[in-house]
Amino acid sequence: MTITIQREEFIQNVNEAISDWDKKRLVFLVMEGLEAGFMPIEMTGQVLLPVLQRACREIDTHDISFAELLLLADTIKAALDILIPKIRESLSETTIKGKVIIGTVKGDIHELGKNLVAAVFESGGYRVTDLGKDVPVEDFIREVEKEKADVIAASTLMTPTLISLEELLKEVKARKLKIKTIIGGWATSPEFARKIGADAWADDALDGLFKLDRMMLGRGHD
């Protein structure tokens, strides 16, 4: 039986569940929204991601802490874990925007932020292969060649593992791979991205999606 819910009330309830870091309630609301006819990509792009975007602005203005942002992102991820597989099922080789290989570089075991970025990229219409954490350079390269990927998205939160990002970019150039590269993570910066020759640097997941779209449209480096 299809249920009927008011859009404005639904969005308000979702926002409240995220603000309360209530994953159980958020999952219930997502399932209810799907049953009521909300499309997965609509729910992701028009309901969940605006909350994340607002939170990213708030951390820049110190209205929320990094710990609070992590809790919020983890809560949103619970909803994306339901929605992303459904979005993935709806994509075909003719409708995807591009193929992305994503991972946290060798030596770094953090992956919450990377997981969220991967989910946002998929919600934006990309086919994403997530290599996980502590990923060696050769694994990135092998997967790029196997999947005939368009983009490598690599991240690190730690300064000591910046060298792993640099080694990855050197290998991409050495092999003359025709692939775009985007990096991110708390230890990185636009200056570092330019230094190692990355095509783009992302401040957060939504900025990453914006940069990814620009790269795939062939608008050059950023």
Side-chain angles (χ1 to χ4, degrees):
M1 181 179 68
T2 302
I3 61 173
T4 302
I5 56 177
Q6 295 297 319
R7 181 182 179 84
E8 293 77 11
E9 181 182 356
F10 174 72
I11 293 175
Q12 180 180 342
N13 289 338
V14 167
N15 286 339
E16 289 175 356
I18 295 172
S19 297
D20 293 338
W21 310 324
D22 190 340
K23 289 194 278 189
K24 186 176 180 179
R25 184 184 178 210
L26 180 60
V27 167
F28 171 81
L29 289 168
V30 166
M31 298 303 294
E32 187 178 55
L34 291 172
E35 189 176 350
F38 280 87
M39 298 296 292
I41 199 163
E42 173 191 14
M43 204 181 304
T44 302
Q46 299 180 22
V47 182
L48 296 175
L49 296 190
V51 178
L52 178 61
Q53 188 173 36
R54 184 168 64 250
C56 290
R57 287 197 301 266
E58 287 175 349
I59 198 169
D60 286 340
T61 57
H62 306 290
D63 291 328
I64 64 172
S65 68
F66 180 58
E68 288 173 316
L69 177 62
L70 288 179
L71 285 167
L72 183 144
D74 189 46
T75 303
I76 292 176
K77 185 65 168 50
L80 292 175
D81 284 344
I82 297 170
L83 296 170
I84 293 303
K86 296 182 181 300
I87 293 173
R88 192 179 297 141
E89 289 172 5
S90 69
L91 296 175
S92 69
E93 293 299 320
T94 58
T95 59
I96 62 170
K97 294 180 180 178
K99 295 179 180 180
V100 180
I101 306 299
I102 192 169
T104 304
V105 296
K106 182 69 177 176
D108 193 334
I109 60 171
H110 301 91
E111 62 175 345
L112 176 59
K114 181 269 300 172
N115 290 344
L116 188 60
V117 171
V120 169
F121 284 0
E122 288 205 272
S123 73
Y126 291 89
R127 179 90 61 187
V128 177
T129 300
D130 188 348
L131 301 183
K133 59 190 176 182
D134 194 22
V135 182
V137 169
E138 54 268 26
D139 287 5
F140 277 105
I141 301 301
R142 183 177 61 250
E143 205 64 30
V144 164
E145 294 174 340
K146 174 186 172 184
E147 296 295 331
K148 297 181 172 57
D150 303 291
V151 179
I152 290 176
S155 68
T156 185
L157 288 180
M158 306 190 306
T159 302
T161 47
L162 288 174
I163 187 65
S164 296
L165 275 174
E166 191 167 3
E167 289 172 352
L168 174 59
L169 269 293
K170 284 181 179 178
E171 189 64 19
V172 167
K173 292 173 185 174
R175 295 188 180 226
K176 298 181 180 179
L177 297 176
K178 295 181 178 179
I179 190 166
K180 295 290 188 178
T181 54
I182 181 169
I183 69 166
W186 284 87
T188 67
S189 67
E191 293 75 21
F192 179 73
R194 284 192 290 271
K195 175 187 172 184
I196 66 174
D199 291 292
W201 173 80
D203 187 36
D204 54 55
L206 291 170
D207 183 48
L209 180 59
F210 172 72
K211 300 283 179 59
L212 188 56
D213 282 341
R214 286 187 63 181
M215 285 194 300
M216 293 304 295
L217 287 172
R219 296 183 182 178
H221 295 247
D222 197 340

